[in-house]
């Protein structure tokens, strides 16, 4: 019986992943960890939910002492948050992750580790081209992207040495994200669909023609499970992969929203430019070459309308 | 009066740089730091030589409390050493450097920091092409390269935020390095010239047709001083630059040695293949595109014969 730990498990991705894991492997044992005890999003009694502050070494020890076969490292301070508070970002996004990796390589070597990185590892240098893992040099222009990238290289080195069996997946912006707005600069992307569908007004802070790289929760959950199951040797000499996604502008998102939910719902979205957010969004490439992911068997995304319908269905 | 600190100052690069700094700015105040008190390689009385173990936070504090205007971070565990001992490499090449950077950004923000990184940030992926900062993705295949690269990104982030004024220079293999052989896989490159010139036999462990990327101490010292003096805004949005160098094979090095010092000296070098060293050397690109360095005003190298003559002259 596989035992799988998820950190940052209270978050939207963690909860979505936990449901998917139990759905695909009903016998799996899950350990869901977060600063505050996470909810169990499944009906399975094989799910243990624990409060663990992984910035404390003892919490890393305690988690690893439960002998997981695989650890999903999802916890972190999001992009705006870690840009505003460098110390906090370093402590959570770098130090606590390194501490967990070091505990794993010492206490439970060769454990599978799936780390969610981000397209924020790329900066403006990548905007002019279609970025891929192999072609475009990552020069992050955010502390968030920097901290993610440093951990990527650490995981690659530990995996090269056989100390852990790491898999680094760079996530697109998740659309539509359920729940409250987040401290990510991309938070509005889900907001302009989620809030109107709840009858609330929402602000679009960027030019509607700017493209953004997206993944649906459905595809993301599928691909996160797949990341654990790819044979290690298929990765070749580095463990980093850009997950599939698709590029859409805010204008296209709103068109799809209108098609699925009507004109009135769309009219709840007001344009109100925020130059800070626009500058950050413009520093992200809008398109990626994900041929490596396809070669590793990751799944392509479902597109705008299906994603909005999925959200409405799950939201009921 | 400029005050300049150098860490790892007992090493060949640190000693060479200190001499060059005093030569070009006789009024400069230098602080030379290393685990053991470094020698003063100059006749200047403006040179303070201190023992400082920078893996201790108090040593970083003490160094920064001397209020340097610029800090050259040269200390580190070399490539073979940090591959063999991961913990030691992390402690010295990553933790102590981060600690020093954090102390600088808090205690003495906007200080100039010049960090010597390495072409070891590239792995085999770069071998097929001519590597540049902008075109080839660094995927280090050594713990040394990984640790250097993590610090590079940290320096870029701190500089982007104006917390330090960082400059990252990736060094070629230094040829001819004076003194004893080092724990670097490239140690033989200097050995096949230095030892015969001292009347001693020396072993060539690789195919004489394999190209290696080199820089002379003379050019390196000049370029390290220049790295401090480049106006910050000329770097653009990232602070990393490949220093100029030139590609030569061991065969070409031996031909130049024969030309400068005669057939008998050359005959002291014996071919004795070491597959481990050859494998490491083959994983390094032999050629780099250094147009960025030229654009920033760094100086091209002087070539094989001049370099060997320089070594003989200094050696007298």
């Amino acid at each position: 019986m596989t035992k799988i730990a998820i950190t940052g498990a209270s978050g939207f991705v963690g909860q979505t992943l936990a449901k998917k894991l139990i759905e695909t492997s009903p016998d799996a044992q899950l350990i869901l960890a977060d600063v505050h005890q996470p909810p169990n999003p499944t009906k399975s009694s094989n799910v243990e939910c624990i409060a663990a502050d992984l910035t404390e070494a003892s919490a890393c020890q305690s988690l690893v002492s439960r002998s997981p076969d695989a650890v999903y490292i999802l916890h972190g301070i999001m992009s705006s948050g870690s840009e505003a508070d460098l110390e906090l970002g370093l402590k959570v996004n770098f130090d606590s992750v390194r501490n967990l990796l070091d505990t794993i390589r010492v206490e439970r070597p060769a454990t599978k580790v799936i780390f969610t990185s981000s397209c924020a590892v790329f900066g403006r240098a990548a905007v002019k081209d279609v970025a891929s893992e192999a072609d475009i040099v990552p020069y992050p222009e955010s502390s968030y992207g920097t901290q993610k990238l440093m951990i990527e290289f650490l995981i690659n080195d530990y995996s090269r040495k056989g100390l852990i069996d790491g898999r680094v997946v760079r996530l697109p912006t998740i659309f539509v994200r359920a729940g409250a707005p987040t401290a990510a600069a991309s938070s509005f992307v889900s907001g302009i669909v989620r809030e109107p569908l709840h009858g609330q007004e929402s602000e679009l802070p960027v030019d509607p023609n700017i493209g953004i790289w997206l993944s649906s929760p459905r595809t993301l959950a599928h691909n996160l499970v797949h990341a654990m199951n790819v044979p290690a040797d298929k990765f070749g000499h580095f463990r980093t992969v850009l997950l599939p996604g698709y590029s859409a502008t805010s204008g296209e998102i709103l068109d799809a929203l209108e098609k699925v939910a009507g004109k009135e719902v769309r009219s709840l979205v007001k344009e109100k430019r925020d130059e800070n957010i626009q500058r950050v969004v413009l520093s992200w490439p809008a398109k990626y070459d994900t041929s490596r992911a396809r070669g590793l068997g990751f799944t392509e995304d479902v597109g705008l309308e299906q994603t909005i319908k999925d959200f409405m269905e799950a939201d009921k």
Side-chain angles (χ1 to χ4, degrees), chain A:
Chain A
M1 197 157 51
T2 316
K3 198 188 266 190
I4 302 165
I6 303 176
T7 75
S10 298
F12 176 66
V13 175
Q15 291 277 305
T16 307
L17 172 64
K19 272 187 280 188
K20 184 75 182 178
L21 283 167
I22 291 295
E23 196 185 300
T24 49
S25 317
D27 287 341
Q29 277 196 295
L30 300 192
I31 307 157
L32 306 188
D34 212 318
V35 180
H36 302 290
Q37 191 184 32
N40 177 356
T42 77
K43 293 194 173 70
S44 168
S45 56
N46 286 339
V47 179
E48 185 190 10
C49 299
I50 60 171
D53 178 355
L54 297 169
T55 65
E56 304 286 340
S58 59
C60 294
Q61 287 286 346
S62 164
L63 183 64
V64 175
S65 72
R66 287 171 159 86
S67 304
D69 303 296
V71 180
Y72 281 90
I73 303 183
L74 307 185
H75 73 279
I77 304 291
M78 286 187 140
S79 52
S80 301
S82 39
E83 190 62 25
D85 189 338
L86 177 67
E87 307 291 352
L88 182 67
L90 282 168
K91 188 176 165 186
V92 177
N93 295 349
F94 184 78
D95 291 322
S96 80
V97 177
R98 172 174 167 195
N99 205 336
L100 184 53
L101 294 172
D102 284 343
T103 309
I104 291 169
R105 73 173 162 85
V106 171
E107 304 288 339
R108 204 170 155 71
T111 297
K112 280 188 185 175
V113 172
I114 303 94
F115 175 65
T116 49
S117 185
S118 162
C119 292
V121 300
F122 294 105
R124 266 171 293 169
V127 171
K128 62 182 194 307
D129 294 305
V130 178
S132 84
E133 308 87 342
D135 288 338
I136 302 295
V137 178
Y139 275 112
E141 295 184 55
S142 66
S143 296
Y144 179 76
T146 301
Q147 292 149 13
K148 287 286 186 188
L149 193 58
M150 289 166 67
I151 292 293
E152 283 194 5
F153 285 112
L154 201 62
I155 288 177
N156 268 291
D157 196 44
Y158 288 2
S159 298
R160 184 183 61 83
K161 292 190 140 164
L163 301 171
I164 64 172
D165 177 0
R167 291 101 197 282
V168 174
V169 286
R170 290 179 180 159
L171 269 52
T173 292
I174 299 156
F175 168 83
V176 184
R177 190 184 266 275
T182 69
S186 59
S187 182
F188 75 88
V189 182
S190 290
I192 59 172
V193 166
R194 185 183 56 225
E195 269 65 289
L197 283 172
H198 292 163
Q200 294 156 12
E201 288 201 352
S202 179
E203 284 173 3
L204 172 62
V206 304
D207 185 314
N209 295 311
I210 298 174
I212 302 160
W213 183 245
L214 304 174
S215 173
S216 68
R218 176 213 286 242
T219 307
L220 180 70
H222 180 91
N223 282 334
L224 283 176
V225 174
H226 184 68
M228 177 176 66
N229 294 328
V230 177
D233 58 3
K234 283 193 77 177
F235 282 95
H237 77 293
F238 67 99
R239 301 303 189 97
T240 303
V241 60
L242 281 161
L243 287 192
Y246 61 99
S247 184
T249 66
S250 300
E252 288 166 344
I253 290 173
L254 293 176
D255 287 348
L257 176 65
E258 181 171 334
K259 208 159 166 186
V260 172
K263 224 180 177 107
E264 261 178 69
V265 170
R266 179 195 182 138
S267 70
L268 289 167
V269 180
K270 313 289 177 198
E271 272 196 57
K272 193 182 168 196
R273 202 61 52 85
D274 180 324
E275 294 303 333
N276 281 324
I277 293 182
Q278 172 147 320
R279 198 175 51 245
V280 174
V281 173
L282 276 174
S283 80
W284 300 335
K287 226 171 214 160
Y288 293 86
D289 170 1
T290 54
S291 48
R292 176 163 156 86
R294 287 196 302 275
L296 290 169
F298 288 94
T299 298
E300 290 293 332
D301 221 303
V302 291
L304 281 179
E305 285 178 40
Q306 184 59 50
T307 296
I308 295 174
K309 282 179 193 156
D310 280 0
F311 174 76
M312 291 169 75
E313 181 63 31
D315 210 35
K316 270 177 195 163

